[in-house]
Amino acid sequence: MDRAVLDFANLPFAYQKTDQNIRFWFRDGKWSAGELTADEHIPMHIAATCLHYGQEVFEGLKVYERPDGRIQTFRSIENAHRMQRSARKLWMEPVPDALFREAVHKVVRANRRFVPPYGSGASLYVRPLLIGTSAEVGVKPSQEYLFLVFVTPVGPYYKGGLTPVRLLVEEDIDRAAPGGVGDAKCGGNYAAGMRATLPVKEKGYAEVLYLDCREKKYLDESGSSNFYAIIGKSFATPASPSILPSITNMSVRQIAKDMGLAVEQRPVSVDELPTFNEAGCLGTAAVITPVEAITYRGKDFVYAKNGKAGPITAEMYKRLTAIQLGEAPDPYGWTEIVSEG
Ligand code: PLP
Ligand code: COI
Protein backbone atom coordinates (compact mmCIF):
# COMPACT_ATOMS: atom_id res chain seq x y z
CA MET A 1 0.00 0.00 0.00
CA ASP A 2 1.39 3.40 -1.03
CA ARG A 3 0.06 5.76 1.56
CA ALA A 4 -1.36 9.08 0.33
CA VAL A 5 1.16 11.90 0.59
CA LEU A 6 -0.39 14.09 3.27
CA ASP A 7 0.88 15.83 6.39
CA PHE A 8 -1.10 13.43 8.59
CA ALA A 9 0.21 14.86 11.88
CA ASN A 10 -1.12 18.33 11.02
CA LEU A 11 -4.43 17.55 9.34
CA PRO A 12 -7.30 19.92 10.00
CA PHE A 13 -10.85 18.61 10.49
CA ALA A 14 -11.82 19.35 6.91
CA TYR A 15 -12.92 17.64 3.72
CA GLN A 16 -10.07 16.05 1.84
CA LYS A 17 -10.68 14.32 -1.46
CA THR A 18 -10.09 10.57 -1.31
CA ASP A 19 -10.28 7.85 -3.95
CA GLN A 20 -13.84 6.57 -3.80
CA ASN A 21 -17.23 6.85 -2.14
CA ILE A 22 -19.93 4.18 -2.08
CA ARG A 23 -23.60 4.52 -3.04
CA PHE A 24 -26.72 2.39 -2.62
CA TRP A 25 -30.08 3.38 -4.09
CA PHE A 26 -33.46 2.45 -2.63
CA ARG A 27 -35.84 2.09 -5.60
CA ASP A 28 -39.00 0.04 -6.16
CA GLY A 29 -38.92 -1.13 -2.57
CA LYS A 30 -35.38 -2.52 -2.50
CA TRP A 31 -31.77 -1.50 -2.02
CA SER A 32 -29.35 -1.76 -4.96
CA ALA A 33 -25.89 -3.29 -4.77
CA GLY A 34 -23.23 -0.85 -3.63
CA GLU A 35 -21.41 1.15 -6.31
CA LEU A 36 -17.95 2.51 -5.60
CA THR A 37 -17.24 5.67 -7.56
CA ALA A 38 -14.59 8.38 -7.79
CA ASP A 39 -17.30 10.95 -8.61
CA GLU A 40 -17.66 13.51 -5.82
CA HIS A 41 -21.01 14.80 -7.07
CA ILE A 42 -24.53 13.41 -7.11
CA PRO A 43 -27.14 13.85 -9.82
CA MET A 44 -30.17 15.39 -8.14
CA HIS A 45 -33.74 16.11 -9.15
CA ILE A 46 -34.71 19.76 -8.60
CA ALA A 47 -37.73 18.65 -6.51
CA ALA A 48 -35.90 16.04 -4.38
CA THR A 49 -37.37 15.89 -0.88
CA CYS A 50 -33.95 16.31 0.74
CA LEU A 51 -33.68 19.77 -0.80
CA HIS A 52 -37.13 21.07 0.08
CA TYR A 53 -38.35 19.23 3.12
CA GLY A 54 -35.10 18.23 4.75
CA GLN A 55 -35.33 14.46 4.30
CA GLU A 56 -31.65 14.13 5.13
CA VAL A 57 -29.85 12.37 7.96
CA PHE A 58 -26.18 11.67 8.47
CA GLU A 59 -23.75 9.89 10.75
CA GLY A 60 -20.14 10.29 11.79
CA LEU A 61 -17.70 7.63 12.91
CA LYS A 62 -13.98 7.06 12.76
CA VAL A 63 -11.69 4.21 11.81
CA TYR A 64 -8.20 3.89 13.21
CA GLU A 65 -4.93 2.27 12.26
CA ARG A 66 -3.74 0.04 15.08
CA PRO A 67 -0.11 -0.42 16.15
CA ASP A 68 -0.14 -3.74 14.21
CA GLY A 69 -1.21 -1.95 10.99
CA ARG A 70 -4.73 -3.38 10.95
CA ILE A 71 -7.70 -1.00 10.60
CA GLN A 72 -10.61 -1.00 13.02
CA THR A 73 -14.00 0.63 13.51
CA PHE A 74 -15.35 1.73 16.87
CA ARG A 75 -18.96 0.80 17.71
CA SER A 76 -20.16 1.32 14.13
CA ILE A 77 -23.26 -0.77 14.77
CA GLU A 78 -24.40 1.99 17.13
CA ASN A 79 -24.11 4.48 14.28
CA ALA A 80 -26.20 2.16 12.11
CA HIS A 81 -28.88 1.99 14.79
CA ARG A 82 -28.91 5.74 15.39
CA MET A 83 -29.18 6.37 11.66
CA GLN A 84 -32.19 4.03 11.52
CA ARG A 85 -33.85 5.96 14.36
CA SER A 86 -33.07 9.27 12.63
CA ALA A 87 -34.51 7.97 9.35
CA ARG A 88 -37.74 6.85 11.02
CA LYS A 89 -38.16 10.28 12.63
CA LEU A 90 -38.14 11.87 9.18
CA TRP A 91 -40.23 9.08 7.59
CA MET A 92 -37.30 7.88 5.50
CA GLU A 93 -36.26 4.39 4.49
CA PRO A 94 -33.88 3.08 7.20
CA VAL A 95 -30.62 1.48 6.10
CA PRO A 96 -30.38 -2.11 7.38
CA ASP A 97 -27.46 -3.07 9.67
CA ALA A 98 -25.83 -5.35 7.12
CA LEU A 99 -25.92 -2.74 4.37
CA PHE A 100 -24.48 -0.08 6.67
CA ARG A 101 -21.65 -2.40 7.71
CA GLU A 102 -20.91 -3.45 4.13
CA ALA A 103 -20.79 0.20 3.04
CA VAL A 104 -18.36 1.18 5.81
CA HIS A 105 -16.07 -1.80 5.26
CA LYS A 106 -15.96 -1.45 1.46
CA VAL A 107 -15.41 2.30 1.41
CA VAL A 108 -12.66 2.12 4.04
CA ARG A 109 -10.85 -0.64 2.13
CA ALA A 110 -11.19 1.32 -1.11
CA ASN A 111 -9.48 4.27 0.57
CA ARG A 112 -6.93 2.35 2.65
CA ARG A 113 -4.10 4.67 1.61
CA PHE A 114 -5.89 7.62 3.26
CA VAL A 115 -6.10 6.01 6.72
CA PRO A 116 -3.72 8.10 8.85
CA PRO A 117 -0.79 6.11 10.25
CA TYR A 118 -0.86 4.92 13.85
CA GLY A 119 0.70 7.57 16.09
CA SER A 120 -0.13 10.52 13.82
CA GLY A 121 -3.02 11.61 16.06
CA ALA A 122 -5.29 11.67 13.00
CA SER A 123 -7.97 9.20 11.90
CA LEU A 124 -10.20 8.43 8.96
CA TYR A 125 -13.60 10.05 9.43
CA VAL A 126 -16.49 8.13 7.87
CA ARG A 127 -19.58 10.13 6.88
CA PRO A 128 -22.70 8.10 6.00
CA LEU A 129 -25.48 10.18 4.42
CA LEU A 130 -29.09 9.24 3.64
CA ILE A 131 -31.24 11.50 1.47
CA GLY A 132 -34.68 11.44 -0.13
CA THR A 133 -34.15 11.85 -3.87
CA SER A 134 -37.47 11.57 -5.64
CA ALA A 135 -39.51 14.54 -6.82
CA GLU A 136 -42.38 15.76 -4.62
CA VAL A 137 -43.95 19.15 -4.22
CA GLY A 138 -46.58 18.32 -1.64
CA VAL A 139 -45.21 17.51 1.82
CA LYS A 140 -44.74 13.81 1.22
CA PRO A 141 -41.90 11.37 1.81
CA SER A 142 -39.61 10.45 -1.02
CA GLN A 143 -40.20 7.16 -2.86
CA GLU A 144 -36.47 6.77 -3.48
CA TYR A 145 -33.41 7.20 -1.29
CA LEU A 146 -29.68 7.44 -1.75
CA PHE A 147 -27.40 6.03 0.95
CA LEU A 148 -23.88 7.28 0.40
CA VAL A 149 -20.73 6.92 2.49
CA PHE A 150 -17.60 8.98 1.97
CA VAL A 151 -14.42 9.11 4.04
CA THR A 152 -11.91 11.82 4.72
CA PRO A 153 -8.76 11.84 6.85
CA VAL A 154 -9.10 14.29 9.74
CA GLY A 155 -7.18 15.83 12.59
CA PRO A 156 -8.70 17.24 15.77
CA TYR A 157 -12.04 19.08 15.71
CA TYR A 158 -11.20 21.34 18.65
CA LYS A 159 -7.63 21.97 19.82
CA GLY A 160 -6.68 18.31 19.89
CA GLY A 161 -5.60 15.74 22.45
CA LEU A 162 -6.05 16.88 26.01
CA THR A 163 -5.76 20.60 25.26
CA PRO A 164 -8.63 22.31 27.09
CA VAL A 165 -11.13 24.55 25.31
CA ARG A 166 -13.55 27.28 26.37
CA LEU A 167 -17.34 27.09 26.09
CA LEU A 168 -19.96 29.84 26.29
CA VAL A 169 -23.40 29.09 27.67
CA GLU A 170 -25.94 30.22 25.11
CA GLU A 171 -29.02 31.96 26.46
CA ASP A 172 -30.19 34.47 23.92
CA ILE A 173 -30.66 32.48 20.78
CA ASP A 174 -33.87 30.58 20.98
CA ARG A 175 -33.09 27.25 19.47
CA ALA A 176 -32.32 23.73 20.49
CA ALA A 177 -28.99 21.93 20.42
CA PRO A 178 -28.31 19.96 17.22
CA GLY A 179 -29.90 16.89 18.74
CA GLY A 180 -33.04 19.04 18.96
CA VAL A 181 -35.30 16.36 17.55
CA GLY A 182 -34.09 13.81 20.06
CA ASP A 183 -32.33 10.87 18.54
CA ALA A 184 -31.99 12.29 15.07
CA LYS A 185 -28.80 13.54 13.49
CA CYS A 186 -30.30 15.76 10.78
CA GLY A 187 -28.43 18.32 8.72
CA GLY A 188 -31.01 21.05 9.20
CA ASN A 189 -30.40 21.11 12.94
CA TYR A 190 -26.76 21.93 12.37
CA ALA A 191 -27.52 24.71 9.89
CA ALA A 192 -29.84 26.24 12.49
CA GLY A 193 -26.98 26.20 15.00
CA MET A 194 -24.50 28.14 12.90
CA ARG A 195 -26.07 31.46 13.85
CA ALA A 196 -25.39 30.72 17.51
CA THR A 197 -22.01 29.08 17.10
CA LEU A 198 -20.00 31.01 14.54
CA PRO A 199 -19.92 34.43 16.30
CA VAL A 200 -18.86 32.68 19.50
CA LYS A 201 -15.98 30.87 17.79
CA GLU A 202 -14.64 34.24 16.66
CA LYS A 203 -14.38 35.18 20.33
CA GLY A 204 -12.12 32.22 21.14
CA TYR A 205 -14.71 29.74 22.36
CA ALA A 206 -14.68 26.23 20.89
CA GLU A 207 -18.46 25.98 21.05
CA VAL A 208 -21.65 27.28 22.58
CA LEU A 209 -23.18 25.17 25.31
CA TYR A 210 -26.92 25.10 24.73
CA LEU A 211 -29.45 25.31 27.51
CA ASP A 212 -32.76 23.48 27.44
CA CYS A 213 -35.27 25.40 25.34
CA ARG A 214 -38.11 25.52 27.80
CA GLU A 215 -36.58 26.83 31.00
CA LYS A 216 -33.09 27.90 29.89
CA LYS A 217 -31.89 26.35 33.11
CA TYR A 218 -30.36 22.98 32.29
CA LEU A 219 -27.24 22.28 30.25
CA ASP A 220 -27.96 20.39 27.03
CA GLU A 221 -24.95 19.87 24.76
CA SER A 222 -22.56 21.82 22.61
CA GLY A 223 -22.95 22.39 18.86
CA SER A 224 -20.95 19.27 18.02
CA SER A 225 -20.58 17.19 21.17
CA ASN A 226 -22.18 16.04 24.42
CA PHE A 227 -21.12 17.46 27.77
CA TYR A 228 -20.07 16.00 31.13
CA ALA A 229 -18.93 17.26 34.48
CA ILE A 230 -16.97 15.55 37.20
CA ILE A 231 -18.46 16.41 40.58
CA GLY A 232 -16.56 14.77 43.42
CA LYS A 233 -16.58 11.05 42.58
CA SER A 234 -19.42 11.36 40.05
CA PHE A 235 -19.52 11.57 36.28
CA ALA A 236 -22.62 13.65 35.51
CA THR A 237 -23.96 14.09 32.00
CA PRO A 238 -27.19 15.82 30.98
CA ALA A 239 -30.29 13.70 30.47
CA SER A 240 -32.36 15.64 27.97
CA PRO A 241 -34.80 14.77 25.19
CA SER A 242 -33.10 17.32 22.96
CA ILE A 243 -29.51 16.14 22.81
CA LEU A 244 -27.92 13.64 20.48
CA PRO A 245 -27.38 10.28 22.21
CA SER A 246 -23.61 10.26 21.80
CA ILE A 247 -21.87 6.95 21.26
CA THR A 248 -18.71 8.40 22.78
CA ASN A 249 -20.70 9.42 25.85
CA MET A 250 -22.23 5.93 26.09
CA SER A 251 -18.70 4.47 26.00
CA VAL A 252 -17.24 6.90 28.51
CA ARG A 253 -20.10 6.19 30.92
CA GLN A 254 -19.00 2.55 30.88
CA ILE A 255 -15.35 3.52 31.35
CA ALA A 256 -16.24 5.92 34.20
CA LYS A 257 -18.18 3.15 35.91
CA ASP A 258 -15.20 0.82 35.59
CA MET A 259 -13.02 3.53 37.12
CA GLY A 260 -15.27 3.44 40.19
CA LEU A 261 -17.13 6.69 39.51
CA ALA A 262 -20.86 7.05 40.08
CA VAL A 263 -22.46 7.67 36.70
CA GLU A 264 -25.34 10.12 36.71
CA GLN A 265 -27.46 10.84 33.66
CA ARG A 266 -29.75 13.57 34.90
CA PRO A 267 -30.73 17.18 34.30
CA VAL A 268 -27.64 19.27 35.10
CA SER A 269 -28.56 22.82 36.13
CA VAL A 270 -26.52 25.95 35.38
CA ASP A 271 -26.68 26.57 39.14
CA GLU A 272 -24.28 23.64 39.50
CA LEU A 273 -21.51 25.28 37.43
CA PRO A 274 -19.58 26.29 40.60
CA THR A 275 -19.61 22.68 41.86
CA PHE A 276 -17.84 21.04 38.90
CA ASN A 277 -14.29 19.80 39.49
CA GLU A 278 -13.73 18.97 35.82
CA ALA A 279 -15.77 19.25 32.66
CA GLY A 280 -15.48 18.05 29.10
CA CYS A 281 -16.97 17.48 25.67
CA LEU A 282 -17.67 14.04 24.21
CA GLY A 283 -18.02 13.04 20.58
CA THR A 284 -16.53 11.27 17.60
CA ALA A 285 -14.96 14.51 16.38
CA ALA A 286 -14.36 15.91 19.90
CA VAL A 287 -13.17 12.57 21.41
CA ILE A 288 -12.89 13.68 25.07
CA THR A 289 -11.97 17.36 25.10
CA PRO A 290 -11.35 18.93 28.50
CA VAL A 291 -13.13 22.20 29.19
CA GLU A 292 -10.87 24.94 30.45
CA ALA A 293 -13.67 27.32 31.41
CA ILE A 294 -17.36 27.93 30.87
CA THR A 295 -18.62 31.50 30.57
CA TYR A 296 -22.14 32.04 31.86
CA ARG A 297 -23.69 35.52 32.12
CA GLY A 298 -20.26 37.10 31.86
CA LYS A 299 -18.69 35.00 34.62
CA ASP A 300 -15.97 32.40 33.99
CA PHE A 301 -16.12 29.06 35.77
CA VAL A 302 -12.65 27.52 35.46
CA TYR A 303 -12.08 23.74 35.37
CA ALA A 304 -8.60 23.28 33.88
CA LYS A 305 -5.69 25.46 34.90
CA ASN A 306 -2.44 26.06 32.94
CA GLY A 307 -3.73 24.16 29.92
CA LYS A 308 -3.83 20.89 31.83
CA ALA A 309 -6.78 18.48 31.93
CA GLY A 310 -7.99 17.21 35.29
CA PRO A 311 -6.87 13.73 36.42
CA ILE A 312 -10.21 11.96 35.84
CA THR A 313 -10.60 13.43 32.36
CA ALA A 314 -7.01 12.43 31.53
CA GLU A 315 -7.59 8.85 32.72
CA MET A 316 -10.88 8.49 30.81
CA TYR A 317 -9.16 9.83 27.67
CA LYS A 318 -6.29 7.38 28.06
CA ARG A 319 -8.64 4.40 28.45
CA LEU A 320 -10.98 5.39 25.61
CA THR A 321 -8.31 6.19 23.03
CA ALA A 322 -6.30 3.07 23.92
CA ILE A 323 -9.31 0.96 22.88
CA GLN A 324 -10.10 3.06 19.80
CA LEU A 325 -6.51 2.84 18.58
CA GLY A 326 -6.09 -0.85 19.43
CA GLU A 327 -3.33 -0.15 21.97
CA ALA A 328 -5.16 -1.96 24.76
CA PRO A 329 -7.43 -5.01 24.80
CA ASP A 330 -11.08 -4.25 24.08
CA PRO A 331 -13.00 -5.96 26.87
CA TYR A 332 -16.32 -4.58 25.65
CA GLY A 333 -16.29 -5.84 22.05
CA TRP A 334 -16.52 -2.29 20.70
CA THR A 335 -14.04 -2.62 17.86
CA GLU A 336 -14.10 -4.58 14.62
CA ILE A 337 -11.29 -5.18 12.14
CA VAL A 338 -12.07 -3.80 8.69
CA SER A 339 -8.77 -4.42 6.98
CA GLU A 340 -5.90 -6.75 7.86
CA GLY A 341 -3.24 -4.34 6.69
N1 PLP B 1 -23.83 16.00 19.85
C1 PLP B 1 -23.79 16.50 18.62
C2 PLP B 1 -24.62 17.67 18.32
C3 PLP B 1 -22.94 15.92 17.64
O1 PLP B 1 -22.89 16.42 16.41
C4 PLP B 1 -22.15 14.81 17.99
C5 PLP B 1 -21.30 14.18 17.00
O2 PLP B 1 -21.67 13.31 16.32
C6 PLP B 1 -22.24 14.32 19.29
C7 PLP B 1 -23.08 14.92 20.19
C8 PLP B 1 -21.43 13.14 19.70
O3 PLP B 1 -21.96 11.94 19.24
P1 PLP B 1 -21.01 10.69 18.96
O4 PLP B 1 -20.23 10.46 20.19
O5 PLP B 1 -21.94 9.58 18.64
O6 PLP B 1 -20.14 11.09 17.81
C1 COI C 1 -19.15 13.95 14.84
O1 COI C 1 -18.51 14.01 15.90
O2 COI C 1 -19.12 12.96 14.12
C2 COI C 1 -19.96 15.06 14.41
O3 COI C 1 -20.88 14.85 13.68
C3 COI C 1 -19.64 16.41 14.90
C4 COI C 1 -19.55 17.44 13.81
C5 COI C 1 -18.44 17.23 12.84
C6 COI C 1 -20.87 17.71 13.17
Side-chain angles (χ1 to χ4, degrees):
M1 185 248 320
D2 282 333
R3 205 178 304 259
V5 182
L6 288 172
D7 185 6
F8 284 107
N10 294 299
L11 282 180
F13 192 98
Y15 180 76
Q16 158 77 47
K17 184 180 184 322
T18 57
D19 287 336
Q20 298 197 295
N21 58 86
I22 192 163
R23 299 161 190 215
F24 299 75
W25 297 89
F26 186 81
R27 286 191 184 119
D28 301 324
K30 54 179 189 302
W31 287 102
S32 71
E35 277 171 37
L36 280 163
T37 173
D39 191 351
E40 291 173 279
H41 297 91
I42 38 185
M44 179 78 69
H45 194 285
I46 54 174
T49 62
C50 65
L51 297 177
H52 299 264
Y53 300 126
Q55 273 201 311
E56 181 273 299
V57 301
F58 71 96
E59 270 302 326
L61 58 145
K62 282 176 174 169
V63 299
Y64 308 85
E65 186 174 294
R66 299 160 43 99
D68 61 11
R70 294 193 290 167
I71 309 301
Q72 68 184 20
T73 52
F74 180 74
R75 307 197 81 173
S76 59
I77 188 70
E78 299 295 341
N79 295 93
H81 291 165
R82 188 170 61 192
M83 194 178 214
Q84 290 157 4
R85 298 196 302 268
S86 301
R88 289 194 189 98
K89 283 233 157 135
L90 302 187
W91 212 264
M92 298 169 71
E93 183 64 30
V95 174
D97 289 355
L99 204 94
F100 187 96
R101 181 175 177 277
E102 177 191 338
V104 171
H105 285 222
K106 283 191 173 154
V107 77
V108 169
R109 285 192 209 123
N111 293 287
R112 172 65 185 91
R113 69 193 191 94
F114 287 95
V115 182
Y118 171 75
S120 63
S123 52
L124 190 74
Y125 187 70
V126 180
R127 174 54 66 88
L129 176 71
L130 176 68
I131 56 174
T133 50
S134 67
E136 298 293 344
V137 179
V139 181
K140 287 190 198 137
S142 180
Q143 302 299 307
E144 299 183 353
Y145 293 87
L146 168 63
F147 172 51
L148 180 152
V149 186
F150 71 79
V151 296
T152 191
V154 294
Y157 195 70
Y158 302 147
K159 291 191 173 170
L162 279 169
T163 308
V165 300
R166 300 173 74 84
L167 303 179
L168 176 73
V169 174
E170 180 276 335
E171 277 202 287
D172 298 331
I173 295 189
D174 188 20
R175 62 161 309 275
V181 278
D183 274 353
K185 205 162 153 64
C186 323
N189 287 353
Y190 290 78
M194 290 179 190
R195 187 165 59 98
T197 306
L198 298 185
V200 157
K201 287 193 175 173
E202 278 168 19
K203 292 186 190 147
Y205 294 98
E207 277 289 2
V208 285
L209 189 51
Y210 291 102
L211 295 179
D212 75 287
C213 275
R214 187 179 296 174
E215 294 184 67
K216 293 282 178 195
K217 182 172 174 208
Y218 298 100
L219 302 175
D220 254 353
E221 64 173 350
S222 96
S224 49
S225 51
N226 274 187
F227 176 80
Y228 72 89
I230 303 297
I231 310 168
K233 294 249 174 328
S234 293
F235 171 95
T237 190
S240 162
S242 53
I243 62 174
L244 195 75
S246 155
I247 296 160
T248 314
N249 190 343
M250 197 197 309
S251 311
V252 172
R253 290 200 301 274
Q254 178 68 53
I255 288 170
K257 197 167 144 242
D258 293 349
M259 283 167 57
L261 297 168
V263 173
E264 300 173 17
Q265 256 186 301
R266 59 169 175 83
V268 179
S269 162
V270 279
D271 297 339
E272 296 179 68
L273 286 170
T275 69
F276 300 167
N277 303 110
E278 299 178 29
C281 298
L282 299 161
T284 297
V287 193
I288 299 176
T289 298
V291 170
E292 179 188 331
I294 297 178
T295 307
Y296 176 57
R297 296 189 172 169
K299 187 169 169 17
D300 275 355
F301 296 87
V302 177
Y303 307 118
K305 294 214 175 83
N306 309 320
K308 207 165 161 348
I312 294 177
T313 295
E315 180 63 21
M316 294 189 312
Y317 179 91
K318 194 174 112 197
R319 293 190 187 207
L320 175 73
T321 56
I323 296 174
Q324 290 175 329
L325 294 167
E327 291 168 343
D330 167 15
Y332 313 108
W334 288 342
T335 57
E336 186 187 13
I337 302 292
V338 175
S339 166
E340 287 296 332

